[in-house]
């Protein structure tokens, strides 16, 4: 089992000032400090023995300040020699697909044979769609057309495209990718709604679970996804799965850290996505499923939502974290796990580093030895005919 790491680059303390547009006030913590701390933590990924570094794609708020995944990954590619990389995700509807394809091939060549996993998505935050001048109701159609352009650019030295959103004259992407087939086979999609699951499965993509649903729901998604793949004549796939981690010497400290910072992260999710605006999601093409998040928020308190989201994560002593990660793998059939040690931007960097170092010394070896297998019942293949009794 391979184990990667990602960080949020979140300035949690700046939400109130940001939402009030109080530009005359100084932030409690500067964005520069957040970056210095996250770059320090990111620099520990390779020396501590992890297998990969992943980056999220968000813009225009304190929620996650990577402002695109590819530039962040390129920086860490230059700082490392061994680890692989992944996007979590590239939100295709926001970008020119030709430019994104160029960024992919440049990073692929800089990695000189190290693996680049392309996690893709379609986005759900109004402020990001508006700032990119991309209509949110067109996100699914734009995603599919952009995916077509990216695939053309990776596989055809010269290509053109005539679509609903992009007209591209004959052009080429240079440098050419080192291994286009590997890049194509690595493509994974993160989703919440059942509709996007079916679109991704029928498009021949893989699965990236970004920790936004119950593990039981993801288990059902794996089965449904692979049933669609098998019906198309393709082999089943295993997902890459993200989990929050709080690994400490005592169960009490681990739970306190997990609960507090899951609550802060859940608050940041609402302030960025505005899921409580359920009527707006219901009225936006392709986002009716997201309206359910707002209805759930109306029925529960922030404390209840934090407890609900924190409980299934990997928290506790090293032995407890090992068992919880084994459970997550069994539920999801994960072939790779991505750990988030700084659960919210409100967590001190020193706390995240303590958890990360203890995990690396006492948990990582056991998870590396774990067989990341997929049970046959999640493969999507039809059950074998029962053997008649004698």
């Amino acid at each position: 089992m391979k184990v990667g790491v990602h960080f949020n680059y979140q300035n949690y303390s700046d939400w109130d000032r940001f939402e009030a547009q109080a530009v005359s006030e100084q932030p409690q913590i500067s964005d520069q400090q957040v970056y210095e701390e996250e770059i320090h933590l990111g620099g520990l990924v390779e020396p501590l023995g992890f297998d990969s570094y992943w980056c999220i794609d968000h813009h225009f708020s304190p929620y996650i300040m990577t402002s695109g995944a590819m530039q962040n990954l390129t920086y860490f590619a230059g700082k490392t020699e061994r680890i692989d990389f992944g996007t979590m995700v590239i939100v295709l509807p926001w970008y020119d697909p030709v430019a994104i394809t160029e960024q992919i091939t440049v990073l692929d060549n800089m990695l000189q044979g190290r693996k680049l996993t392309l996690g893709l998505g379609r986005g759900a935050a109004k402020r990001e769609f508006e700032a990119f001048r991309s209509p949110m109701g067109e996100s699914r159609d734009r995603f599919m057309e952009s995916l077509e352009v990216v695939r053309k650019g990776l596989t055809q030295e010269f290509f053109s495209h005539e679509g609903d959103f992009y007209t591209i004259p004959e052009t080429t992407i240079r440098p050419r990718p080192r291994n286009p087939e590997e890049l194509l086979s690595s493509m994974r999609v993160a989703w919440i709604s059942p509709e996007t699951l079916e679109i991704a499965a029928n498009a021949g993509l893989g699965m990236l679970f970004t920790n936004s649903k119950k593990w039981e729901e993801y288990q059902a998604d794996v089965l449904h996804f692979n049933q669609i793949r098998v019906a198309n004549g393709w082999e089943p796939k295993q997902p890459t799965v993200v989990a929050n981690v709080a690994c400490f010497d005592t169960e009490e400290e681990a739970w306190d850290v997990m609960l507090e910072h899951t609550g802060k992260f859940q608050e940041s999710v609402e302030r960025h996505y505005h899921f409580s605006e359920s009527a707006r999601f219901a009225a936006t093409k392709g986002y009716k499923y997201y309206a359910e998040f707002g209805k759930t928020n109306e029925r529960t308190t922030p404390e209840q939502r934090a407890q609900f989201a924190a409980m299934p994560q990997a928290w506790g002593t090293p032995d407890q974290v090992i068992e919880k990660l084994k459970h997550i793998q069994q539920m999801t059939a994960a072939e790779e796990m991505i750990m988030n040690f700084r659960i919210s931007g409100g967590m001190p960097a020193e706390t995240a580093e303590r958890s990360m170092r203890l995990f690396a010394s006492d948990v990582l070896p056991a998870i590396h030895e774990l067989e990341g297998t997929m049970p046959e019942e999640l493969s999507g293949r039809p059950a074998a005919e029962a053997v008649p009794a004698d």
Side-chain angles (χ1 to χ4, degrees):
M1 172 71 71
K2 290 188 175 181
V3 183
V5 181
H6 85 87
F7 298 101
N8 286 328
Y9 291 79
Q10 182 179 100
N11 195 342
Y12 172 80
S13 68
D14 201 41
W15 272 115
D16 290 342
R17 190 194 68 86
F18 169 79
E19 291 178 334
Q21 297 188 10
V23 294
S24 62
E25 297 179 11
Q26 291 297 313
Q28 296 179 41
I29 296 173
S30 70
D31 293 350
Q32 291 70 42
Q33 180 178 334
V34 172
Y35 256 71
E36 289 170 2
E37 292 171 348
E38 300 285 72
I39 287 172
H40 167 72
L41 292 170
L44 300 176
V45 172
E46 183 168 90
L48 288 180
F50 292 94
D51 302 295
S52 58
Y53 174 91
W54 294 64
C55 186
I56 305 175
D57 180 12
H58 277 298
H59 304 258
F60 314 129
S61 86
Y63 174 57
I64 288 170
M65 304 184 299
T66 53
S67 295
M70 299 304 289
Q71 187 173 6
N72 186 286
L73 293 183
T74 302
Y75 171 81
F76 279 101
K79 285 179 62 72
T80 57
E81 298 178 352
R82 173 186 58 82
I83 57 174
D84 296 328
F85 290 87
T87 61
M88 205 176 82
V89 298
I90 299 172
V91 182
L92 288 181
W94 296 341
Y95 306 116
D96 183 313
V98 173
I100 282 295
T101 309
E102 276 194 328
Q103 292 176 17
I104 290 169
T105 64
V106 167
L107 180 55
D108 180 50
N109 278 277
M110 287 181 173
L111 290 176
Q112 298 181 330
R114 288 187 279 168
K115 184 177 180 180
L116 173 60
T117 300
L118 297 172
L120 308 172
R122 67 185 181 101
K126 178 183 177 183
R127 68 160 50 90
E128 290 171 309
F129 277 96
E130 289 180 343
F132 278 118
R133 290 85 67 202
S134 177
M136 191 165 162
E138 297 177 354
S139 67
R140 278 194 179 141
D141 295 333
R142 285 180 176 271
F143 176 91
M144 294 306 298
E145 186 169 331
S146 293
L147 176 63
E148 182 182 354
V149 173
V150 171
R151 282 173 161 168
K152 284 181 178 180
L154 292 178
T155 58
Q156 302 174 28
E157 184 165 358
F158 293 93
F159 72 97
S160 60
H161 180 82
E162 184 73 38
D164 294 330
F165 304 104
Y166 301 104
T167 297
I168 302 169
E170 186 175 74
T171 188
T172 186
I173 301 295
R174 303 297 289 267
R176 299 302 301 153
R178 293 173 64 94
N179 189 338
E181 293 306 318
E182 184 173 329
L183 286 172
L184 291 175
S185 67
S186 81
M187 287 182 176
R188 299 167 183 265
V189 172
W191 69 80
I192 295 178
S193 70
E195 295 83 4
T196 302
L197 180 155
E198 295 185 359
I199 291 170
N202 280 307
L205 301 166
M207 295 173 275
L208 175 61
F209 295 163
T210 55
N211 201 355
S212 54
K213 299 195 291 188
K214 299 178 184 177
W215 302 125
E216 291 81 3
E217 292 179 278
Y218 278 130
Q219 185 180 52
D221 283 352
V222 173
L223 175 58
H224 187 195
F225 193 96
N226 279 330
Q227 286 172 333
I228 295 172
R229 286 187 59 85
V230 169
N232 282 313
W234 303 322
E235 288 297 308
K237 286 232 180 203
Q238 294 176 255
T240 297
V241 175
V242 179
N244 295 335
V245 180
C247 183
F248 296 96
D249 291 325
T250 68
E251 180 179 352
E252 292 75 17
E253 181 181 10
W255 174 243
D256 288 345
V257 169
M258 178 62 71
L259 182 62
E260 176 186 354
H261 294 289
T262 299
K264 289 179 177 179
F265 186 78
Q266 291 293 315
E267 177 193 350
S268 292
V269 167
E270 171 56 32
R271 295 174 91 159
H272 181 72
Y273 287 101
H274 300 287
F275 284 132
S276 59
E277 298 175 6
S278 55
R280 176 175 62 81
F281 280 101
T284 304
K285 179 183 175 182
Y287 288 90
K288 290 183 174 59
Y289 187 85
Y290 286 75
E292 296 301 316
F293 287 94
K295 296 177 183 177
T296 298
N297 287 357
E298 293 169 3
R299 297 191 298 266
T300 58
T301 66
E303 293 75 19
Q304 288 172 324
R305 293 194 292 274
Q307 178 124 357
F308 179 81
M311 188 62 70
Q313 305 305 316
W315 54 273
T317 65
D319 287 343
Q320 290 173 316
V321 170
I322 290 170
E323 290 308 308
K324 288 175 180 179
L325 290 176
K326 286 181 178 179
H327 172 72
I328 292 170
Q329 196 285 324
Q330 290 167 359
M331 293 295 292
T332 63
E335 67 175 3
E336 182 172 9
M337 292 187 181
I338 312 303
M339 308 288 96
N340 177 16
F341 293 99
R342 198 176 191 185
I343 302 162
S344 84
M347 179 188 291
E350 296 81 2
T351 303
E353 183 171 343
R354 279 200 297 123
S355 176
M356 187 176 176
R357 287 186 178 277
L358 184 58
F359 182 101
S361 64
D362 291 14
V363 177
L364 187 57
I367 304 304
H368 273 156
E369 293 178 1
L370 183 65
E371 292 290 338
T373 57
M374 179 171 62
E376 187 61 29
E377 58 266 27
L378 295 181
S379 69
R381 300 186 183 98
E385 295 290 332
V387 178
D390 292 337

